[in-house]
PDB file of all heavy atoms in Angstrom:
ATOM      1  N   VAL K 427     151.385 113.198 115.665  1.00  0.00           N
ATOM      2  CA  VAL K 427     152.234 112.416 116.447  1.00  0.00           C
ATOM      3  C   VAL K 427     153.468 112.010 115.784  1.00  0.00           C
ATOM      4  O   VAL K 427     153.316 111.293 114.742  1.00  0.00           O
ATOM      5  CB  VAL K 427     151.460 111.213 117.086  1.00  0.00           C
ATOM      6  CG1 VAL K 427     152.391 110.490 118.081  1.00  0.00           C
ATOM      7  CG2 VAL K 427     150.174 111.615 117.718  1.00  0.00           C
ATOM      8  N   ILE K 428     154.580 112.411 116.289  1.00  0.00           N
ATOM      9  CA  ILE K 428     155.864 112.155 115.493  1.00  0.00           C
ATOM     10  C   ILE K 428     156.662 111.099 116.549  1.00  0.00           C
ATOM     11  O   ILE K 428     157.201 111.649 117.626  1.00  0.00           O
ATOM     12  CB  ILE K 428     156.660 113.390 115.246  1.00  0.00           C
ATOM     13  CG1 ILE K 428     155.797 114.378 114.475  1.00  0.00           C
ATOM     14  CG2 ILE K 428     157.958 113.057 114.528  1.00  0.00           C
ATOM     15  CD1 ILE K 428     156.465 115.771 114.335  1.00  0.00           C
ATOM     16  N   PRO K 429     156.617 109.913 116.082  1.00  0.00           N
ATOM     17  CA  PRO K 429     157.406 109.013 117.025  1.00  0.00           C
ATOM     18  C   PRO K 429     158.802 109.279 117.182  1.00  0.00           C
ATOM     19  O   PRO K 429     159.590 109.642 116.281  1.00  0.00           O
ATOM     20  CB  PRO K 429     157.201 107.675 116.162  1.00  0.00           C
ATOM     21  CG  PRO K 429     156.074 107.827 115.337  1.00  0.00           C
ATOM     22  CD  PRO K 429     156.018 109.240 114.947  1.00  0.00           C
ATOM     23  N   GLY K 430     159.284 109.273 118.411  1.00  0.00           N
ATOM     24  CA  GLY K 430     160.751 109.587 118.762  1.00  0.00           C
ATOM     25  C   GLY K 430     160.898 110.993 118.948  1.00  0.00           C
ATOM     26  O   GLY K 430     162.094 111.405 119.219  1.00  0.00           O
ATOM     27  N   LEU K 431     159.917 111.866 118.584  1.00  0.00           N
ATOM     28  CA  LEU K 431     160.100 113.353 118.800  1.00  0.00           C
ATOM     29  C   LEU K 431     159.251 113.954 119.770  1.00  0.00           C
ATOM     30  O   LEU K 431     159.590 114.691 120.719  1.00  0.00           O
ATOM     31  CB  LEU K 431     159.938 114.076 117.409  1.00  0.00           C
ATOM     32  CG  LEU K 431     160.316 115.597 117.416  1.00  0.00           C
ATOM     33  CD1 LEU K 431     161.781 115.743 117.759  1.00  0.00           C
ATOM     34  CD2 LEU K 431     160.066 116.196 116.066  1.00  0.00           C
ATOM     35  N   ASN K 432     157.857 113.679 119.617  1.00  0.00           N
ATOM     36  CA  ASN K 432     156.910 114.309 120.535  1.00  0.00           C
ATOM     37  C   ASN K 432     155.877 113.247 121.125  1.00  0.00           C
ATOM     38  O   ASN K 432     155.051 113.653 121.796  1.00  0.00           O
ATOM     39  CB  ASN K 432     156.046 115.436 119.819  1.00  0.00           C
ATOM     40  CG  ASN K 432     155.164 114.962 118.816  1.00  0.00           C
ATOM     41  OD1 ASN K 432     155.164 113.816 118.307  1.00  0.00           O
ATOM     42  ND2 ASN K 432     154.246 115.821 118.422  1.00  0.00           N
ATOM     43  N   ASP K 433     155.984 112.020 120.772  1.00  0.00           N
ATOM     44  CA  ASP K 433     155.062 110.970 121.177  1.00  0.00           C
ATOM     45  C   ASP K 433     155.065 110.877 122.588  1.00  0.00           C
ATOM     46  O   ASP K 433     154.063 110.484 123.194  1.00  0.00           O
ATOM     47  CB  ASP K 433     155.275 109.716 120.384  1.00  0.00           C
ATOM     48  CG  ASP K 433     156.648 109.091 120.768  1.00  0.00           C
ATOM     49  OD1 ASP K 433     157.532 109.836 120.584  1.00  0.00           O
ATOM     50  OD2 ASP K 433     156.597 107.927 121.035  1.00  0.00           O
ATOM     51  N   HIS K 434     156.126 111.156 123.227  1.00  0.00           N
ATOM     52  CA  HIS K 434     156.227 110.863 124.878  1.00  0.00           C
ATOM     53  C   HIS K 434     155.374 111.999 125.455  1.00  0.00           C
ATOM     54  O   HIS K 434     155.092 111.803 126.591  1.00  0.00           O
ATOM     55  CB  HIS K 434     157.591 111.059 125.181  1.00  0.00           C
ATOM     56  CG  HIS K 434     158.257 112.488 125.013  1.00  0.00           C
ATOM     57  ND1 HIS K 434     158.754 112.885 123.709  1.00  0.00           N
ATOM     58  CD2 HIS K 434     158.440 113.522 125.783  1.00  0.00           C
ATOM     59  CE1 HIS K 434     159.124 114.103 123.905  1.00  0.00           C
ATOM     60  NE2 HIS K 434     158.997 114.566 125.129  1.00  0.00           N
ATOM     61  N   GLU K 435     154.883 113.054 124.827  1.00  0.00           N
ATOM     62  CA  GLU K 435     154.039 114.102 125.344  1.00  0.00           C
ATOM     63  C   GLU K 435     152.544 113.758 125.315  1.00  0.00           C
ATOM     64  O   GLU K 435     151.715 114.624 125.745  1.00  0.00           O
ATOM     65  CB  GLU K 435     154.370 115.335 124.784  1.00  0.00           C
ATOM     66  CG  GLU K 435     155.764 115.910 125.003  1.00  0.00           C
ATOM     67  CD  GLU K 435     156.050 117.423 124.585  1.00  0.00           C
ATOM     68  OE1 GLU K 435     155.334 118.329 125.137  1.00  0.00           O
ATOM     69  OE2 GLU K 435     156.607 117.624 123.420  1.00  0.00           O
ATOM     70  N   LEU K 436     152.228 112.733 124.591  1.00  0.00           N
ATOM     71  CA  LEU K 436     150.815 112.515 124.472  1.00  0.00           C
ATOM     72  C   LEU K 436     149.959 112.613 125.705  1.00  0.00           C
ATOM     73  O   LEU K 436     148.987 113.394 125.750  1.00  0.00           O
ATOM     74  CB  LEU K 436     150.593 111.039 123.920  1.00  0.00           C
ATOM     75  CG  LEU K 436     149.294 110.586 123.431  1.00  0.00           C
ATOM     76  CD1 LEU K 436     149.342 109.498 122.330  1.00  0.00           C
ATOM     77  CD2 LEU K 436     148.331 110.157 124.538  1.00  0.00           C
ATOM     78  N   GLU K 437     150.286 111.980 126.737  1.00  0.00           N
ATOM     79  CA  GLU K 437     149.507 112.024 127.893  1.00  0.00           C
ATOM     80  C   GLU K 437     149.458 113.470 128.619  1.00  0.00           C
ATOM     81  O   GLU K 437     148.459 113.971 129.072  1.00  0.00           O
ATOM     82  CB  GLU K 437     150.021 111.018 128.928  1.00  0.00           C
ATOM     83  CG  GLU K 437     149.688 109.564 128.683  1.00  0.00           C
ATOM     84  CD  GLU K 437     150.627 108.931 127.670  1.00  0.00           C
ATOM     85  OE1 GLU K 437     151.640 109.671 127.320  1.00  0.00           O
ATOM     86  OE2 GLU K 437     150.466 107.698 127.210  1.00  0.00           O
ATOM     87  N   SER K 438     150.740 113.940 128.680  1.00  0.00           N
ATOM     88  CA  SER K 438     150.717 115.395 129.286  1.00  0.00           C
ATOM     89  C   SER K 438     149.980 116.393 128.564  1.00  0.00           C
ATOM     90  O   SER K 438     149.386 117.274 129.117  1.00  0.00           O
ATOM     91  CB  SER K 438     152.184 115.791 129.404  1.00  0.00           C
ATOM     92  OG  SER K 438     152.896 115.826 128.228  1.00  0.00           O
ATOM     93  N   ILE K 439     149.985 116.299 127.139  1.00  0.00           N
ATOM     94  CA  ILE K 439     149.104 117.311 126.359  1.00  0.00           C
ATOM     95  C   ILE K 439     147.686 117.166 126.668  1.00  0.00           C
ATOM     96  O   ILE K 439     146.884 118.070 126.904  1.00  0.00           O
ATOM     97  CB  ILE K 439     149.541 117.238 124.906  1.00  0.00           C
ATOM     98  CG1 ILE K 439     151.010 117.761 124.668  1.00  0.00           C
ATOM     99  CG2 ILE K 439     148.534 117.818 124.023  1.00  0.00           C
ATOM    100  CD1 ILE K 439     151.451 117.508 123.295  1.00  0.00           C
ATOM    101  N   LEU K 440     147.263 115.816 126.519  1.00  0.00           N
ATOM    102  CA  LEU K 440     145.879 115.675 126.809  1.00  0.00           C
ATOM    103  C   LEU K 440     145.307 115.998 128.291  1.00  0.00           C
ATOM    104  O   LEU K 440     144.268 116.444 128.462  1.00  0.00           O
ATOM    105  CB  LEU K 440     145.508 114.152 126.602  1.00  0.00           C
ATOM    106  CG  LEU K 440     145.768 113.619 125.160  1.00  0.00           C
ATOM    107  CD1 LEU K 440     145.214 112.167 125.092  1.00  0.00           C
ATOM    108  CD2 LEU K 440     145.034 114.468 124.151  1.00  0.00           C
ATOM    109  N   GLU K 441     146.196 115.837 129.252  1.00  0.00           N
ATOM    110  CA  GLU K 441     145.874 116.139 130.604  1.00  0.00           C
ATOM    111  C   GLU K 441     145.803 117.759 130.650  1.00  0.00           C
ATOM    112  O   GLU K 441     144.822 118.236 131.294  1.00  0.00           O
ATOM    113  CB  GLU K 441     146.938 115.717 131.579  1.00  0.00           C
ATOM    114  CG  GLU K 441     146.711 116.109 132.918  1.00  0.00           C
ATOM    115  CD  GLU K 441     147.778 115.583 133.943  1.00  0.00           C
ATOM    116  OE1 GLU K 441     148.812 115.177 133.483  1.00  0.00           O
ATOM    117  OE2 GLU K 441     147.555 115.511 135.157  1.00  0.00           O
ATOM    118  N   ALA K 442     146.742 118.362 130.077  1.00  0.00           N
ATOM    119  CA  ALA K 442     146.764 119.869 130.220  1.00  0.00           C
ATOM    120  C   ALA K 442     145.574 120.414 129.473  1.00  0.00           C
ATOM    121  O   ALA K 442     144.966 121.330 129.915  1.00  0.00           O
ATOM    122  CB  ALA K 442     148.066 120.464 129.591  1.00  0.00           C
ATOM    123  N   ALA K 443     145.218 119.906 128.352  1.00  0.00           N
ATOM    124  CA  ALA K 443     144.025 120.333 127.503  1.00  0.00           C
ATOM    125  C   ALA K 443     142.728 120.090 128.297  1.00  0.00           C
ATOM    126  O   ALA K 443     141.827 120.864 128.390  1.00  0.00           O
ATOM    127  CB  ALA K 443     143.928 119.648 126.233  1.00  0.00           C
ATOM    128  N   ALA K 444     142.588 118.972 128.992  1.00  0.00           N
ATOM    129  CA  ALA K 444     141.349 118.591 129.766  1.00  0.00           C
ATOM    130  C   ALA K 444     141.344 119.700 130.936  1.00  0.00           C
ATOM    131  O   ALA K 444     140.163 120.078 131.130  1.00  0.00           O
ATOM    132  CB  ALA K 444     141.536 117.210 130.279  1.00  0.00           C
ATOM    133  N   LYS K 445     142.357 119.908 131.552  1.00  0.00           N
ATOM    134  CA  LYS K 445     142.338 120.877 132.739  1.00  0.00           C
ATOM    135  C   LYS K 445     141.913 122.300 132.116  1.00  0.00           C
ATOM    136  O   LYS K 445     141.480 123.029 132.947  1.00  0.00           O
ATOM    137  CB  LYS K 445     143.762 120.921 133.378  1.00  0.00           C
ATOM    138  CG  LYS K 445     144.092 119.685 134.196  1.00  0.00           C
ATOM    139  CD  LYS K 445     145.422 119.868 134.874  1.00  0.00           C
ATOM    140  CE  LYS K 445     145.807 118.634 135.749  1.00  0.00           C
ATOM    141  NZ  LYS K 445     146.996 118.698 136.293  1.00  0.00           N
ATOM    142  N   ALA K 446     142.328 122.566 130.986  1.00  0.00           N
ATOM    143  CA  ALA K 446     141.895 123.865 130.338  1.00  0.00           C
ATOM    144  C   ALA K 446     140.498 124.049 129.952  1.00  0.00           C
ATOM    145  O   ALA K 446     139.951 125.086 129.604  1.00  0.00           O
ATOM    146  CB  ALA K 446     142.899 124.158 129.184  1.00  0.00           C
ATOM    147  N   GLY K 447     139.805 122.803 129.787  1.00  0.00           N
ATOM    148  CA  GLY K 447     138.455 122.859 129.429  1.00  0.00           C
ATOM    149  C   GLY K 447     138.053 121.934 128.202  1.00  0.00           C
ATOM    150  O   GLY K 447     136.843 122.088 127.832  1.00  0.00           O
ATOM    151  N   ALA K 448     138.998 121.429 127.536  1.00  0.00           N
ATOM    152  CA  ALA K 448     138.712 120.583 126.415  1.00  0.00           C
ATOM    153  C   ALA K 448     137.732 119.396 126.816  1.00  0.00           C
ATOM    154  O   ALA K 448     137.905 118.846 127.960  1.00  0.00           O
ATOM    155  CB  ALA K 448     139.970 119.985 125.794  1.00  0.00           C
ATOM    156  N   THR K 449     136.880 118.981 125.939  1.00  0.00           N
ATOM    157  CA  THR K 449     136.056 117.805 126.254  1.00  0.00           C
ATOM    158  C   THR K 449     136.158 116.614 125.323  1.00  0.00           C
ATOM    159  O   THR K 449     135.566 115.600 125.444  1.00  0.00           O
ATOM    160  CB  THR K 449     134.452 118.214 126.268  1.00  0.00           C
ATOM    161  OG1 THR K 449     134.161 118.925 124.942  1.00  0.00           O
ATOM    162  CG2 THR K 449     134.357 119.277 127.354  1.00  0.00           C
TER     163      THR K 449
END
Side-chain angles (χ1 to χ4, degrees):
V427 182
I428 306 174
L431 187 62
N432 72 344
D433 62 312
H434 65 283
E435 296 189 69
L436 187 153
E437 290 82 1
S438 58
I439 287 174
L440 296 186
E441 180 181 16
K445 288 180 178 178
T449 56

